[in-house]
Amino acid sequence: MSLFFRHLAESFRKPDHWLYASWLDVITKYRKNVLGLFWIFFPPIIYIWGLGGFLAAVQGRPAANFLAHIGFGFMVFRLTSTMLMEAGSSFAAYQPYILEGNLRLTDFVMRPLARSVIHFIFAVPLLVIALVGETTVPALGVLASFAGFLLVLVNLFVYGILLALLGARFPDVNDFLGSVMLGVFLITPIFWFADSAPPGTMQGALMRGNPFHHMLEVIRAPLLGTQIEPLTFIYLGVMTVLGILLAAIFYSRFARRVPAWL
């Protein structure tokens, strides 16, 4: 277990590979486009004011309240799903570096996580605009949301480690994740409200068994003034502790085998 925590500490002491390189990944991706970095803002704009406005009209809800709900739902789900799908192929994507002897594999999982966070940060001004239609957001709500955001990042990293190890051994994992993500998207309350799936129903069981729902709620609910179910805190508490233990155990046991798997 000590190998995992030692490599993680070294990654934070020397963030050049994953932090600076992630920023370069984002910049170079859009550098040759005519509109440049505007394309980072384009998906949130389409989902919040395009699809969000349409669905608010269809469901007969006030657009001002629905836009923030959809905005945070879309961006948090995009952050979590993109990170986990990229984590499954992260070791294969950086195979040359690993085969050259760079066995601090935590760097290669931090890199897609940092990219996902950068995209989320770019969307924050748009989310603030979407919040204009909401009631006053309490300062404690902002702090609680930020704490939830940090908790989500911890979970994304530790489960990203597990998926990266699994993806290095079994490349089919990446195809599997891509296939199931659409189903997970549909049972996560992004374009609908959680009270539409009450406890005791099959829909409610599916939603409450979905980790993306709980990761979304601890970020979105404090800002929108909605109540977080006690189950969410229990779910994420168990999920976090279990994820850290599994990541530490499996990383320490299998990290040295990754070059042979690749």
Side-chain angles (χ1 to χ4, degrees):
M1 294 178 65
S2 62
L3 180 65
F4 170 74
F5 295 109
R6 186 169 70 251
H7 280 188
L8 181 58
E10 291 174 1
S11 292
F12 278 107
R13 282 198 301 268
K14 302 175 181 178
D16 296 3
H17 177 79
W18 57 271
L19 186 58
Y20 180 64
S22 300
W23 173 248
L24 287 180
D25 288 342
V26 174
I27 295 299
T28 55
K29 179 180 179 181
Y30 300 102
R31 183 175 56 185
K32 294 183 179 181
N33 294 341
V34 175
L35 297 179
L37 286 174
F38 172 77
W39 290 111
I40 294 181
F41 300 103
F42 193 67
I45 290 173
I46 292 297
Y47 272 86
I48 297 174
W49 286 278
L51 190 56
F54 172 77
L55 290 176
V58 169
Q59 299 181 28
R61 297 181 179 272
N65 302 106
F66 199 53
L67 294 182
H69 177 85
I70 282 190
F72 279 94
F74 168 69
M75 289 309 305
V76 173
F77 187 84
R78 185 188 187 194
L79 166 72
T80 54
S81 61
T82 301
M83 161 55 192
L84 294 178
M85 286 191 293
E86 290 188 1
S89 59
S90 59
F91 292 161
Y94 301 108
Q95 179 180 357
Y97 296 99
I98 295 174
L99 296 183
E100 284 178 0
N102 187 349
L103 296 181
R104 194 175 69 204
L105 302 181
T106 49
D107 286 350
F108 305 116
V109 178
M110 293 290 286
R111 192 160 172 173
L113 179 60
R115 278 199 306 270
S116 298
V117 172
I118 289 171
H119 280 87
F120 185 87
I121 291 173
F122 268 100
V124 167
L126 301 177
L127 296 175
V128 171
I129 295 173
L131 276 172
V132 170
E134 291 290 324
T135 56
T136 303
V137 179
L140 288 178
V142 176
L143 292 176
S145 179
F146 183 70
F149 182 73
L150 295 179
L151 181 63
V152 168
L153 293 185
V154 171
N155 278 277
L156 290 178
F157 176 73
V158 294
Y159 285 98
I161 287 286
L162 295 173
L163 287 173
L165 291 169
L166 197 61
R169 183 65 182 88
F170 303 104
D172 294 4
V173 167
N174 305 321
D175 296 324
F176 173 77
L177 288 174
S179 299
V180 303
M181 203 53 68
L182 177 59
V184 174
F185 179 80
L186 294 175
I187 61 173
T188 304
I190 298 172
F191 298 119
W192 47 280
F193 288 85
D195 56 13
S196 300
T201 64
M202 181 178 293
Q203 296 86 348
L206 286 173
M207 184 192 73
R208 288 168 180 81
N210 172 15
F212 290 88
H213 160 63
H214 299 289
M215 289 191 287
L216 169 58
E217 282 301 291
V218 293
I219 297 175
R220 181 175 63 185
L223 294 173
L224 303 187
T226 55
Q227 191 70 27
I228 301 178
E229 294 182 352
L231 175 63
T232 292
F233 296 111
I234 298 172
Y235 192 109
L236 288 179
V238 173
M239 181 177 167
T240 303
V241 173
L242 184 63
I244 293 172
L245 290 175
L246 290 177
I249 292 170
F250 281 89
Y251 184 92
S252 299
R253 183 173 181 180
F254 296 113
R256 294 183 178 89
R257 300 185 187 182
V258 169
W261 290 343
L262 297 177

